[in-house]
Structures are given as structure tokens and as C-alpha cells.
Amino acid sequence: PSTGRPGRFPPPLRCPAPASGGVDAGALVRAVSAPLFLRLFITREPIDDGLAGQAAAAALAAARAGVFTTVGTAGTQRGEVT
């Protein structure tokens, strides 16, 4: 979302950590930036406020749904050997 003033950003979005584990910050950042990098470097399309907001909203919704938790499907921490 645009604030209507150049160089100004909207307030940060809050994302509570899922109860099942912490949030994998790297995965969350990649989810936000991937659509932007695709347009910048692959399709060479312009990036606007709408696209940036859409990418952030999609990643936030996924984080709230627990997609980026650090606990694996078997209840183990990522990288942990059982």
C-alpha cells in the first residue's frame, strides 16, 4: 500500500509467530522478494507499489498460516536428525 508520499513506507505489518514453532525468517524474506526479483531480472517488467504490496500480503498470509515455521512435519527442528 502506498502512503501517497514519495520515499515514505507504510507502517510495518505484524506477524505473530505460529504456536507450533518459530518463523524461518530467510524463507519469509525469499517469499516476499522472489516475485520482485522475477520481474526485475527475468521478465524485466517494472515493479510498482501494487506488486510490492501484493508480494508482502501473500507472504504474510502464508506466514500466519504456518508455512514458514521452523518445526518440520514430523515435529523436528529443521535440519535435526531423528
Side-chain angles (χ1 to χ4, degrees):
S2 176
T3 60
R5 296 174 289 182
R8 300 288 181 146
F9 296 98
L13 300 173
R14 300 282 181 221
C15 179
S20 60
V23 174
D24 181 347
L28 181 58
V29 169
R30 286 188 295 276
V32 170
S33 60
L36 307 176
F37 276 75
L38 175 77
R39 286 186 69 145
L40 259 178
F41 299 114
I42 306 300
T43 63
R44 298 192 183 261
E45 297 175 77
I47 295 176
D48 58 13
D49 288 347
L51 178 68
Q54 182 182 29
L60 180 62
R64 286 181 174 155
V67 173
F68 304 117
T69 58
T70 56
V71 175
T73 55
T76 60
Q77 293 292 328
R78 180 192 279 203
E80 180 181 7
V81 179
T82 58

